[in-house]
């Protein structure tokens, strides 16, 4: 574990982070930040969710290798409350992980803006809402509001997408990048606001074709998962799609690939599906998923735990061999 992380020039050293929301993303963020030596306050208006969040955080830390005195020390830096205003006044940085509902986010950021010092970054974990749609609710200092969208689960997967609103200052984006990099994240910065940001748009493109192929009866749900998980997904876990194409081109690199496979790829693009989530397609997907899970022979919790263990090992392996 490390101590508080400096978020960048002109910004305060972060020792205490306020996490707004005690759900799965908020709890995952809390575990990650505690593992990096920070104090974390989780605020949620539903007091009954606090004990559940603490149990979840403890399990995430234990799965990550903390035990005994180290685990107790980390948990001693975690507190929960229903009082957002009081907690915000003591925060050095805010991670909002509340409901993906615009009206709720606007209310939260208005309260955060009024209750925090002007040099406290206000970040949202929103998976697809444009920051400009709620940053103006922070009427005092909208320039310090931005999206810092993690990839699920945040306590394991390093990626964070940084997206500024039209009012977000370059200094705030730089400070956010410095902070999240300082707590072990890999950040990308979008140069424009897009529905779904970047990662969810890329996922949606794959899901769109996968759903269409299942809807056509071309392949089963289980076969789609096998095709990705045991095919291109293995390469994509190590290098991105462009680098993967580049290496596939041999000495000619991606230029060779685009020269030889570009024309047929354009033909494939023209044939990609545009499915609608009709009741029939939804029923087929759900039925196919049920059949696939029945064949796995594990509960969903067991499968998730094994996936998370493999994710940790994969991230460690990438770092060990120096993959970008």
């Amino acid at each position: 574990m490390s101590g508080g992380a400096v978020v960048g020039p002109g910004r305060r050293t972060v020792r205490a982070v306020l996490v707004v929301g005690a759900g799965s993303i908020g709890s995952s963020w809390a575990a990650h930040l505690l593992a990096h030596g920070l104090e974390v306050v989780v605020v949620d208006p539903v007091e009954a969710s606090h004990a559940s969040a603490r149990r979840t955080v403890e399990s995430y830390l234990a799965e990550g290798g903390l035990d005994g005195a180290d685990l107790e020390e980390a948990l001693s830096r975690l507190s929960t409350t229903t009082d957002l205003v009081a907690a915000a006044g003591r925060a050095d940085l805010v991670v909002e992980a509340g409901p993906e509902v615009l009206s709720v986010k606007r209310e939260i950021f208005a309260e955060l803006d009024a209750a925090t010092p002007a040099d406290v970054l206000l970040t949202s974990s929103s998976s697809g809402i444009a920051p400009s749609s709620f940053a103006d609710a922070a009427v005092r200092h909208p320039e310090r509001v931005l999206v810092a969208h993690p990839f699920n689960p945040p306590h394991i997967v390093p990626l964070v997408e940084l997206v500024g609103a039209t009012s977000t200052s370059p200094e705030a984006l730089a400070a956010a990048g410095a902070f999240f990099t300082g707590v072990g994240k890999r950040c990308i910065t979008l140069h424009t606001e897009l529905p779904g940001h970047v990662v969810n748009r890329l996922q949606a493109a794959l899901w769109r074709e996968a759903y269409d192929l299942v809807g056509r009866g071309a392949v089963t749900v289980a076969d789609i998962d096998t095709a990705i998980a045991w095919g291109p997904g293995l390469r994509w876990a190590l290098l991105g799609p462009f680098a993967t194409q580049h290496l596939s081109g041999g000495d000619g690199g991606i230029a060779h690939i685009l020269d030889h496979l570009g024309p047929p790829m354009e033909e494939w693009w023209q044939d990609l599906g545009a499915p609608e989530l009709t009741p029939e397609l939804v029923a087929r997907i759900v039925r196919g998923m049920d059949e696939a899970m029945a064949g796995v022979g594990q509960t969903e919790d067991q499968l998730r735990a094994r996936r998370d263990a493999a994710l940790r090992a994969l991230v460690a392996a990438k770092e060990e061999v120096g993959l970008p």
Side-chain angles (χ1 to χ4, degrees):
M1 294 185 293
S2 59
V6 176
V7 300
R11 295 279 170 174
R12 60 171 63 201
T13 296
V14 175
R15 296 184 177 86
V17 177
L18 172 62
V19 175
V20 181
S24 59
I25 298 299
S27 296
S28 183
W29 263 126
H32 180 77
L33 296 167
L34 289 169
H36 283 78
L38 298 168
E39 296 180 17
V40 176
V41 179
V42 175
V43 61
D44 196 290
V46 180
E47 191 166 4
S49 68
H50 296 179
S52 175
R54 178 173 283 274
R55 288 193 300 269
T56 300
V57 169
E58 182 174 3
S59 69
Y60 288 162
L61 291 171
E63 290 167 6
L66 284 184
D67 58 16
D70 288 338
L71 178 58
E72 290 302 316
E73 190 280 328
L75 291 173
S76 73
R77 290 184 272 105
L78 172 65
S79 59
T80 58
T81 182
T82 59
D83 192 338
L84 184 147
V85 172
R90 302 191 301 271
D92 297 313
L93 184 139
V94 175
V95 171
E96 178 271 324
E100 194 75 346
V101 178
L102 179 57
S103 59
V104 174
K105 292 198 184 299
R106 289 186 61 85
E107 181 180 346
I108 289 172
F109 277 89
E111 291 187 46
L112 290 171
D113 182 57
T116 54
D119 62 345
V120 171
L121 289 175
L122 306 180
T123 76
S124 172
S125 297
S126 172
S127 59
I129 298 177
S132 288
S133 64
F134 56 82
D136 63 326
V139 293
R140 291 172 60 242
H141 294 289
E143 73 281 354
R144 39 83 174 261
V145 176
L146 64 137
V147 162
H149 172 231
F151 203 71
N152 199 20
H155 66 287
I156 300 176
V157 181
L159 182 68
V160 170
E161 295 178 293
L162 301 177
V163 192
T166 54
S167 58
T168 306
S169 70
E171 293 77 15
L173 278 169
F179 170 75
F180 288 109
T181 299
V183 294
K185 291 298 185 180
R186 295 290 187 104
C187 298
I188 65 169
T189 301
L190 276 64
H191 302 298
T192 187
E193 295 178 82
L194 297 165
H197 313 318
V198 165
V199 174
N200 280 334
R201 292 174 71 92
L202 292 171
Q203 291 191 129
L206 177 60
W207 285 327
R208 173 176 172 171
E209 184 62 12
Y211 290 175
D212 186 66
L213 290 171
V214 171
R216 291 192 203 184
V219 70
T220 66
V221 168
D223 283 342
I224 288 283
D225 278 355
T226 297
I228 297 299
W230 291 97
L234 290 173
R235 296 189 302 186
W236 293 339
L238 302 175
L239 293 171
F242 286 121
T244 296
Q245 274 194 315
H246 182 66
L247 294 185
S248 298
D251 292 340
I254 198 168
H256 174 76
I257 288 291
L258 293 177
D259 183 46
H260 287 77
L261 294 182
M265 185 163 58
E266 286 186 303
E267 293 182 11
W268 301 338
W269 287 345
Q270 298 305 314
D271 191 53
L272 293 178
E276 295 182 6
L277 290 176
T278 62
E280 294 77 17
L281 178 55
V282 170
R284 179 175 288 195
I285 296 293
V286 172
R287 184 170 61 250
M289 193 69 256
D290 289 342
E291 293 169 354
M293 287 301 300
V296 168
Q298 304 174 37
T299 67
E300 291 183 14
D301 285 343
Q302 289 172 329
L303 185 61
R304 186 179 296 108
R306 292 180 180 180
R307 180 207 64 180
D308 289 354
L311 280 173
R312 288 188 179 89
L314 178 60
V315 171
K318 283 170 63 76
E319 292 174 347
E320 182 178 353
V321 300
L323 285 174

